[in-house]
């Protein structure tokens, strides 16, 4: 069977090529929509599944990078999740694996912002699909499969069927959401810790591994989220010169 190299080349160019930056108003609307999704409790309860995917994916990726054996990932309907890996019970591998969860969503949002600022809208969408496909291999429960496949199906539909404006709006919405959503789980974590409802949280595991208090690790999570948001917003929002009102002749 012959491979149609022309079509493959066209697809490659489509994925890796640059796209025109969207209008400033589309960037602003995407940011406001993302802020609403984070701040509105009913919407957040649904959208938080995306944060959980990124959170558990971060644990899994770092575990593999440090040579740990990944047993599987489970995502639950209450938007919690668990990633099980095997290896040394202490040491840098365990520390960075535990650190990765809350840090990954805002850092992923920052990575998306970098791609979007370079005009790589399609590449950002397809990179998301690749990450989801890699994660799907390690999902070990039905709800997790449904969540990952459903998220991937939405991204694929937008990237394959949507026009340039729809793709740009969705991509900027995703980046804004991850950047803005990075801090809310950290606040929720500390609220649960203050009520002694999360004795095995990532922060408490890090405290056990390092001797540094769990509250300090919550602060680290929050700092990563804040710095990612500030840097990402600077990348996503258009140059102020593009917002200037054009000069009209005779005025």
């Amino acid at each position: 069977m012959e491979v149609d190299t022309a079509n493959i080349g066209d697809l490659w160019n489509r994925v890796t090529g640059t796209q025109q930056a969207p209008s400033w108003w589309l960037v602003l609307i995407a940011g406001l929509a993302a802020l609403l999704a984070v701040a509105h409790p009913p919407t957040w309860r649904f959208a938080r599944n995306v944060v959980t995917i990124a959170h558990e994916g971060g644990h899994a990726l770092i575990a593999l990078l440090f040579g740990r054996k990944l047993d599987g990932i489970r995502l639950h309907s209450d938007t919690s999740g668990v990633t099980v890996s095997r290896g040394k019970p202490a040491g840098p591998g365990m520390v960075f694996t535990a650190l990765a969860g809350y840090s990954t969503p805002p850092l992923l949002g920052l990575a998306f912002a970098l791609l979007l600022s370079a005009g790589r809208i399609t590449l950002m969408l397809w990179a998301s699909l690749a990450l989801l496909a890699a994660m799907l291999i390690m999902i070990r429960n039905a709800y997790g499969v449904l969540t990952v496949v459903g998220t991937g199906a939405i991204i694929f539909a937008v990237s394959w069927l949507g026009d340039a404006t729809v793709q740009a709006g969705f991509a900027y919405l995703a980046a804004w959401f991850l950047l803005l959503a990075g801090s809310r789980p950290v606040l929720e974590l500390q609220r649960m810790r203050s009520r002694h409802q999360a004795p095995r949280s990532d922060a408490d595991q890090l405290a056990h591994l390092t001797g540094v208090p769990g509250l300090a690790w919550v602060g680290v999570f929050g700092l990563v989220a804040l710095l990612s948001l500030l840097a990402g917003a600077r990348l996503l929002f258009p140059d102020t010169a593009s917002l200037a009102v054009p000069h009209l002749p005779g005025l």
Side-chain angles (χ1 to χ4, degrees):
M1 182 177 64
E2 295 184 2
V3 178
D4 192 338
T5 56
N7 287 340
I8 294 176
D10 289 343
L11 178 61
W12 178 254
N13 291 333
R14 177 178 176 180
V15 172
T16 60
T18 59
Q19 292 79 41
Q20 184 176 358
S23 301
W24 66 267
W25 57 264
L26 185 60
V27 177
L28 181 60
I29 290 175
L32 292 174
L35 180 60
L36 177 63
V38 174
H40 185 239
T43 306
W44 171 247
R45 281 194 292 271
F46 175 77
R48 199 183 192 283
N49 285 287
V50 176
V51 179
T52 304
I53 290 173
H55 180 115
E56 300 304 330
H59 282 315
L61 175 61
I62 298 303
L64 291 173
L65 289 177
F66 275 89
R68 298 181 62 80
K69 180 176 176 57
L70 189 62
D71 285 343
I73 303 169
R74 291 179 177 271
L75 307 175
H76 304 135
S77 59
D78 63 355
T79 72
S80 66
V82 60
T83 299
V84 179
S85 64
R86 286 184 289 165
K88 293 182 180 179
M94 271 298 297
V95 171
F96 281 98
T97 297
L99 183 61
Y102 284 95
S103 302
T104 296
L107 289 177
L108 183 60
L110 180 57
F112 285 172
L114 282 167
L115 288 174
L116 295 177
S117 69
R120 309 284 182 175
I121 296 173
T122 304
L123 180 59
M124 180 227 135
L125 294 173
W126 281 65
S128 303
L129 287 173
L131 291 172
L132 288 171
M135 186 173 178
L136 183 62
I137 298 172
M138 297 308 301
I139 296 293
R140 294 293 182 264
N141 67 322
Y143 184 81
V145 170
L146 178 64
T147 302
V148 173
V149 170
T151 303
I154 293 171
I155 296 173
F156 179 79
V158 169
S159 63
W160 195 256
L161 303 175
D163 60 20
T165 300
V166 171
Q167 289 183 18
F170 183 86
Y172 274 79
L173 173 64
W176 275 121
F177 175 74
L178 287 171
L179 289 168
L180 291 166
S183 59
R184 180 159 181 172
V186 178
L187 297 174
E188 293 173 345
L189 168 65
Q190 183 52 32
R191 184 169 63 247
M192 293 180 65
R193 292 184 71 251
S194 67
R195 299 171 180 173
H196 306 287
Q197 295 175 340
R200 295 183 57 80
S201 71
D202 291 354
D204 293 288
Q205 290 185 46
L206 284 164
H208 174 73
L209 290 166
T210 65
V212 177
L215 182 60
W217 289 110
V218 174
V220 171
F221 298 152
L223 183 61
V224 170
L226 177 60
L227 293 179
S228 298
L229 174 59
L230 293 175
R234 182 67 184 86
L235 290 166
L236 290 176
F237 210 77
D239 189 348
T240 53
S242 67
L243 305 181
V245 178
H247 177 72
L248 299 178
L251 295 181

